[in-house]
């Protein structure tokens, strides 16, 4: 389902004209569709169709409180990777007992905080981390529920920066070492083994690698059973890709159907940690053309949004669709590089895009609900863009545009140079 559609010649977010949102909130700006978020979350829920499951939205994809709150209201769990994300989940009304804590560098303070909040599970990424969690839990007179993240050495076939399931990657524990680590954990009094997990990468566009990873985990689960270690859940990570324009990822329902087939004769609860497939296509990034420019080689549309707002094109050479907010009746297309004002040649939102535009026109960069605002920065002293959520005919500001003084509020002059 697409919640960003033309009505006549004008692009709408659900029932709201995007031009009117630009007028009210200014540009650049992120616009999210509540209905799209809910639709994507429910697609997972419906596909599980009663099989015991927990859908833990990967907070890193988009951690705005309103987004987390919408999902929490649907009963979502959350996959976090920092103490900060845990605080956000709690502030947004999420249930800590549905939180799994991923990430390979959990600090002592983060572990303490998560233990206090009584999260569902720590996804352990190394032997050293297991020991640290065991010790901290003992000093807090508690027991940490744990899962071990196995690195199944599977090629997810995605961009190398977002591929995580190969031996060369820093994540998880090789399958060959996992059994020994579980045996060690079984003897510890500060941890309680409850699961096993893997996450092999992001933006996967085929089901095969997911199933291969599950096979690897199931093999381990069976070996653990014979050792007297039985698990209550398997966490298959996130990673389902979305269609940015040219990709043809499986539907959420297809993925879950294939996953469930692996569990027909097993009681295990399936945890999944989707981020992008819930949030990406629930958002657009709205930007206005400041100037058109031609340098005898190329046409450039210089916009007011930039790589600090949306770094995916610069960082991963990612392609995201760019639409004009008002369709031109003549539609005389020219090729443009859509670029921001930042002093780097990597500052582009799209290259060689066929557009019929003039200065002042609004452009919507599609699929900007995940890993967009969440990865934004203040590079070039650019205040971060506001975020707006649309619900049917209504729209709400869910994060204010930053002001310049916000940017240097926590900076200090040297005392000896103050006067
Ligand atoms: N679980 C773990 C342990 C993860 O590391 C990730 C993403 C997820 C779940 C969620 O994966 P998803 O369902 O969103 O694919 N910034 C990159 C993506 C980085 C993904 C990092 N880990 C991008 O913009 O493409």
């Amino acid at each position: 389902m697409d919640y960003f559609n033309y009505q006549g010649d004008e692009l709408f977010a659900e029932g709201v004209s995007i031009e009117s949102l630009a007028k009210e909130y200014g540009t650049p700006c992120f616009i999210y569709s509540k209905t799209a978020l809910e639709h994507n979350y429910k697609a997972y829920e419906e596909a599980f169709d009663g099989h015991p499951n927990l859908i833990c939205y990967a907070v890193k994809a988009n951690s705005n409180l309103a987004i987390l709150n919408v999902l929490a209201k649907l009963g979502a769990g959350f996959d976090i990777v920092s103490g900060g994300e845990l605080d956000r989940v709690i502030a947004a009304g999420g249930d800590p007992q549905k939180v799994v804590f991923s990430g390979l560098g959990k600090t002592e303070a983060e572990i303490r905080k998560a233990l206090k909040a009584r999260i569902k599970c720590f996804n352990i990424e190394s032997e050293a981390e297991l020991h640290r969690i065991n010790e901290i839990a003992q000093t807090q007179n508690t027991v940490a529920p744990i899962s071990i993240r196995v690195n199944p050495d599977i090629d997810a076939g995605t961009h190398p920066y977002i591929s995580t399931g190969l031996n060369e990657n820093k994540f998880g524990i090789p399958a060959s070492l996992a059994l020994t680590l579980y045996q060690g954990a079984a003897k510890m009094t500060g941890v309680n083994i409850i699961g096993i997990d893997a996450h092999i990468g992001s933006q996967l566009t085929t089901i095969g690698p997911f199933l291969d990873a599950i096979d690897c985990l199931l093999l381990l689960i069976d070996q653990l059973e014979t050792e007297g270690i039985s698990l209550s859940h398997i966490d298959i990570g996130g990673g389902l890709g979305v269609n940015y324009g040219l990709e043809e990822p499986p539907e959420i329902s297809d993925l879950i159907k294939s996953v469930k087939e692996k569990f027909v004769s097993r009681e295990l609860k399936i945890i999944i940690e989707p981020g992008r497939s819930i949030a990406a296509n629930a958002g657009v990034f709205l930007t206005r053309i400041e100037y058109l420019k031609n340098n005898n080689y190329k046409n450039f549309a210089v916009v007011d949004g930039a790589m600090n707002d949306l770094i995916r094109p610069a960082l991963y050479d990612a392609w995201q669709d760019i639409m004009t907010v008002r369709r031109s009746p003549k539609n005389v297309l020219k090729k443009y590089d859509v670029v921001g004002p930042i002093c780097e040649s990597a500052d582009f939102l799209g290259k060689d895009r066929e557009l019929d535009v003039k200065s002042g026109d609004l452009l919507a960069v599609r699929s900007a609900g995940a890993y967009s605002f969440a990865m934004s920065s203040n590079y070039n002293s650019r205040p971060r863009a506001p975020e707006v959520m649309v619900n049917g005919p209504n729209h709400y500001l869910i994060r204010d545009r930053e002001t310049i003084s916000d940017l240097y509020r926590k900076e200090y002059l040297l005392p000896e140079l103050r006067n």
Side-chain angles (χ1 to χ4, degrees):
M1 276 291 267
D2 196 354
Y3 295 91
F4 299 91
N5 286 307
Y6 287 110
Q7 293 187 15
D9 282 331
E10 207 193 326
L11 191 62
F12 273 63
E14 299 195 27
V16 183
S17 125
I18 291 194
E19 259 178 24
S20 74
L21 293 175
K23 247 185 222 137
E24 178 145 356
Y25 301 104
T27 57
C29 172
F30 287 90
I31 298 166
Y32 307 124
S33 154
K34 175 171 178 270
T35 313
L37 274 176
E38 292 177 329
H39 174 91
N40 295 338
Y41 176 84
K42 286 181 188 160
Y44 277 102
E45 204 175 51
E46 280 157 24
F48 275 114
D49 189 26
H51 186 105
N53 70 84
L54 182 62
I55 303 155
C56 290
Y57 168 69
V59 174
K60 64 166 80 71
N62 187 326
S63 57
N64 183 289
L65 292 193
I67 301 250
L68 302 183
N69 179 249
V70 166
L71 296 170
K73 286 274 193 296
L74 295 176
F78 296 94
D79 166 51
I80 60 162
V81 289
S82 70
E85 288 190 348
L86 178 56
D87 281 351
R88 278 184 174 274
V89 167
I90 294 169
D95 179 356
Q97 280 168 26
K98 291 185 184 169
V99 166
V100 297
F101 192 171
S102 301
L104 75 166
K106 300 177 193 76
T107 65
E108 275 193 37
E110 287 173 327
I111 294 165
R112 279 183 210 291
K113 184 197 285 253
L115 280 171
K116 265 212 187 115
R118 304 205 155 277
I119 64 161
K120 177 169 179 62
C121 192
F122 289 85
N123 291 352
I124 305 257
E125 298 241 8
S126 65
E127 188 176 353
E129 182 194 341
L130 173 63
H131 284 288
R132 180 182 272 185
I133 291 179
N134 178 44
E135 279 157 27
I136 297 175
Q138 284 173 322
T139 61
Q140 286 189 208
N141 280 323
T142 184
V143 178
I146 63 151
S147 158
I148 290 179
R149 175 170 178 177
V150 174
N151 181 334
D153 194 25
I154 283 168
D155 187 354
T158 184
H159 189 283
Y161 286 8
I162 52 176
S163 186
T164 49
L166 284 170
N167 277 342
E168 68 201 54
N169 301 130
K170 65 182 176 180
F171 301 96
I173 285 150
S176 56
L177 304 179
L179 197 58
T180 319
L181 200 60
Y182 269 109
Q183 286 164 331
K187 296 196 190 88
M188 296 177 176
T189 55
V191 301
N192 177 27
I193 299 168
I194 61 166
I196 190 164
D197 64 288
H199 169 81
I200 57 171
S202 197
Q203 185 54 14
L204 273 69
T205 50
T206 53
I207 293 179
F210 285 105
L211 301 183
D212 293 345
I214 291 170
D215 284 339
C216 169
L217 298 190
L218 289 178
L219 209 65
L220 271 162
I221 289 172
D222 291 340
Q223 285 173 339
L224 287 168
E225 273 296 335
T226 63
E227 300 285 320
I229 301 173
S230 69
L231 308 180
S232 58
H233 78 246
I234 177 172
D235 175 346
I236 63 171
L240 179 61
V242 299
N243 179 11
Y244 282 102
L246 305 172
E247 298 86 347
E248 286 176 4
E251 295 290 330
I252 290 171
S253 55
D254 294 336
L255 171 67
I256 299 305
K257 185 165 170 269
S258 309
V259 167
K260 271 188 351 191
E261 278 165 12
K262 298 265 175 204
F263 292 88
V264 272
S265 55
R266 294 178 191 259
E267 290 293 291
L268 282 177
K269 176 184 263 198
I270 304 171
I271 296 183
I272 191 162
E273 305 169 354
R276 190 190 315 263
S277 51
I278 288 182
N281 281 325
V284 300
F285 176 59
L286 182 61
T287 183
R288 194 181 286 281
I289 299 176
E290 294 282 348
Y291 303 103
L292 293 183
K293 169 172 176 174
N294 174 294
N295 66 0
N296 283 341
Y297 292 98
K298 280 201 131 172
N299 297 310
F300 296 95
V302 183
V303 296
D304 61 4
M307 67 188 284
N308 75 297
D309 301 299
L310 181 51
I311 201 174
R312 302 193 68 261
L315 190 57
Y316 314 114
D317 219 1
W319 190 97
Q320 294 186 213
D321 197 13
I322 300 181
M323 294 165 91
T324 48
V325 167
R326 186 161 280 281
R327 265 198 297 218
S328 147
K330 289 196 213 115
N331 211 24
V332 186
L333 299 172
K334 261 204 241 172
K335 262 191 193 165
Y336 289 93
D337 281 8
V338 178
V339 301
I342 285 183
C343 313
E344 303 236 7
S345 294
D347 182 24
F348 64 91
L349 299 177
K351 286 193 170 164
D352 294 324
R353 300 308 173 87
E354 302 256 355
L355 297 165
D356 179 356
V357 286
K358 55 184 184 320
S359 88
D361 282 359
L362 292 166
L363 298 176
V365 185
R366 300 293 315 257
S367 317
Y371 304 114
S372 298
F373 184 90
M375 296 178 78
S376 65
S377 77
N378 295 121
Y379 189 38
N380 279 211
S381 281
R382 290 171 51 82
R384 276 180 295 178
E387 295 174 284
V388 172
M389 193 180 288
V390 168
N391 182 21
N394 303 314
H395 50 92
Y396 308 95
L397 184 66
I398 58 168
R399 192 181 205 272
D400 250 326
R401 185 182 302 285
E402 285 175 341
T403 63
I404 303 290
S405 57
D406 286 337
L407 306 194
Y408 52 76
R409 180 160 296 140
K410 288 183 188 287
E411 296 175 24
Y412 309 100
L413 304 181
L414 292 184
E416 57 264 48
L417 296 180
R418 257 189 207 148
N419 42 30

